[in-house]
Amino acid sequence: MSSASLKPYIEILIAGERHLTSEETKAAFSAILQGADEVQVGSLLTLLRARNETPEEIAGMVQAMNDACNSVDLGGRKLLDIVGTGGDGADTINISTASVVLAAACGCVVAKAGNRSVSSRCGSADVLEALGVKVALSPSQVVKCVDACNVAFMFAPVNHPAMRHVAPVRKRLAVRTCFNILGPMTNAAGAQHAVIGVFHPHLMPLMAGALKAVGRVEHAVIIHGEGLDEISPLGPATLLEVRMSFQRRKLSICRCTDTACVIKIKNTAPPGEPKVYETNTFEFDPASVGIPKCELIDLKGGGPEENAQKFKAVLQGGTHTDAKRDAIVLNAGVGCYVYGQTSSIEEGCKLARTTLESGKATELLNTWITTSQEIAKED
């Protein structure tokens, strides 16, 4: 158990004159992740919820979790994650998990973070395990899996073992806390490109502010769909795009006067200074890419075994389609756009559809299953 007391932070929140700073929140959550007193942990989490967490507070929490993480070192490789907060209560098929398989088949390198079910009948780890994927790989084994097939799963209990200190408190509180939304922002491989679904629209600016404050992402899209924590054929979705700003500089080797002769470089903020981001909020209607509206029943899933069967079916090659396949195309399409495979979501959806129909997604899934099993046997 940590000897650090959370009392100073609790007192600040009780006083109500201000929120915690990012540094204070980071210190508090570092103590929590080392096993702080459970009564104080419950008090702090409740006060933060009651006062509405700020982006700065969420950023401090994310930084504390990243520091305590068993990270996966993929050498700065360009990575994508498609992930949701959960909490929509819809019990659909595992849309984001199937989408990462399709996105990987499209050419993205994917480091998928996830866990067992918390608010649904079947979490990402549950369905992958039912399919035969070995989910509890160590960080070094995850690297091998990505090297072999461009996709791997990072199981939360392996990468964030300190969360065991919080689990009993969260269970006894039995109300939503900030930990419900931290998962999508604490990818153990530091994925720079992310599609993050949220169950409530008020979480969109909160998560965007935290992502910018932490400064690990280069391009992310936060999505609130119609009734879901992801984009779907149910109807139009709201997207909040967070993109690292780029500077344009004239090529130093060129002596011409053409103002178009430039290169685009990432913004390089001095150490300790925040990176500069651009944000853009817009609506996206699946009908704009030819996807008809569906009902929630059309996306329904079940337990792990049922969802595993639907998972395989939705990724099969062929020109047939339904609402489930359309949902996978939409989310993988956004992923391809965020990753940089395409210059627009519309083009991303087109690439995803073509790849799905080709059968490459099923081939990749089978390769992932076999590869993960072989890697798990090695050590």
Side-chain angles (χ1 to χ4, degrees):
M1 178 178 289
S2 170
S3 60
S5 173
L6 302 178
K7 182 180 177 181
Y9 313 111
I10 293 172
E11 293 281 14
I12 291 170
L13 294 174
I14 289 174
E17 295 178 359
R18 66 176 179 88
H19 289 277
L20 299 180
T21 65
S22 179
E23 293 75 17
E24 288 169 336
T25 314
K26 179 180 178 181
F29 274 68
S30 294
I32 288 172
L33 294 172
Q34 293 173 42
D37 179 81
E38 290 188 354
V39 173
Q40 291 191 350
V41 172
S43 299
L44 185 68
L45 295 179
T46 303
L47 284 165
L48 283 164
R49 164 82 184 275
R51 297 205 58 208
N52 293 322
E53 302 94 336
T54 66
E56 291 73 22
E57 287 171 335
I58 297 294
M61 301 170 197
V62 171
Q63 289 164 349
M65 286 191 65
N66 288 341
D67 287 348
C69 174
N70 288 333
S71 60
V72 175
D73 184 4
L74 282 160
R77 197 175 311 183
K78 182 179 177 182
L79 300 170
L80 171 71
D81 193 5
I82 302 176
V83 61
T85 57
D88 56 29
D91 285 327
T92 64
I93 62 167
N94 298 89
I95 294 174
S96 63
T97 310
S99 299
V100 299
V101 177
L102 180 53
C106 290
C108 305
V109 180
V110 175
K112 166 69 175 166
N115 205 346
R116 298 199 184 281
S117 172
V118 175
S119 59
S120 67
R121 294 176 62 189
C122 181
S124 53
D126 301 314
V127 72
L128 289 174
E129 197 168 60
L131 286 163
V133 174
K134 293 296 183 181
V135 297
L137 298 183
S138 68
S140 62
Q141 290 174 324
V142 169
V143 173
K144 290 180 182 178
C145 195
V146 170
D147 286 341
C149 57
N150 277 355
V151 61
F153 184 76
M154 298 177 298
F155 190 35
V158 173
N159 299 108
H160 297 284
M163 286 295 292
R164 70 185 184 278
H165 296 300
V166 186
V169 179
R170 293 178 68 193
K171 185 174 182 179
R172 289 202 291 273
L173 278 176
V175 297
R176 181 192 72 77
T177 71
C178 50
F179 280 104
N180 291 68
I181 62 174
L182 292 179
M185 293 185 284
T186 53
N187 184 288
Q192 317 92 329
H193 303 263
V195 179
I196 301 174
V198 297
F199 61 84
H200 196 285
H202 85 266
L203 293 174
M204 298 179 74
L206 181 66
M207 297 190 84
L211 288 172
K212 290 188 287 184
V214 174
R216 294 210 315 182
V217 299
E218 293 182 11
H219 192 182
V221 170
I222 303 165
I223 299 174
H224 174 66
E226 189 165 316
L228 297 181
D229 65 339
E230 48 215 343
I231 192 169
S232 79
L234 286 173
T238 303
L239 283 67
L240 198 170
E241 186 172 15
V242 178
R243 188 199 293 264
M244 187 184 292
S245 297
F246 285 82
Q247 299 173 355
R248 294 184 179 274
R249 293 182 182 174
K250 187 168 172 58
L251 288 164
S252 58
I253 58 172
C254 181
R255 300 181 185 277
C256 75
T257 58
D258 185 355
T259 56
C261 186
V262 295
I263 55 172
K264 188 170 76 168
I265 62 170
K266 294 176 187 175
N267 89 57
T268 52
E273 292 294 320
K275 294 174 182 175
V276 179
Y277 287 92
E278 300 169 351
T279 60
N280 178 35
T281 301
F282 58 98
E283 298 288 314
F284 184 84
D285 190 342
S288 68
V289 290
I291 290 177
K293 196 168 183 176
C294 75
E295 300 296 329
L296 182 58
I297 190 67
D298 301 319
L299 300 173
K300 281 289 186 179
E305 293 301 327
E306 179 182 346
N307 274 19
Q309 292 302 315
K310 291 180 176 180
F311 197 108
K312 289 188 285 188
V314 84
L315 292 177
Q316 286 180 349
T319 57
H320 63 288
T321 195
D322 56 24
K324 296 181 180 67
R325 284 169 69 85
D326 288 343
I328 305 306
V329 165
L330 284 168
N331 285 271
V334 177
C336 287
Y337 164 64
V338 166
Y339 190 77
Q341 290 291 93
T342 62
S343 60
S344 70
I345 293 175
E346 290 81 3
E347 290 178 3
C349 291
K350 183 178 180 180
L351 173 61
R353 178 77 69 186
T354 302
T355 304
L356 179 63
E357 292 178 352
S358 73
K360 291 179 181 178
T362 292
E363 293 175 10
L364 182 65
L365 175 62
N366 292 333
T367 300
W368 184 11
I369 294 168
T370 302
T371 300
S372 70
Q373 292 174 350
E374 291 174 348
I375 290 171
K377 289 178 182 177
E378 291 176 2
D379 298 326

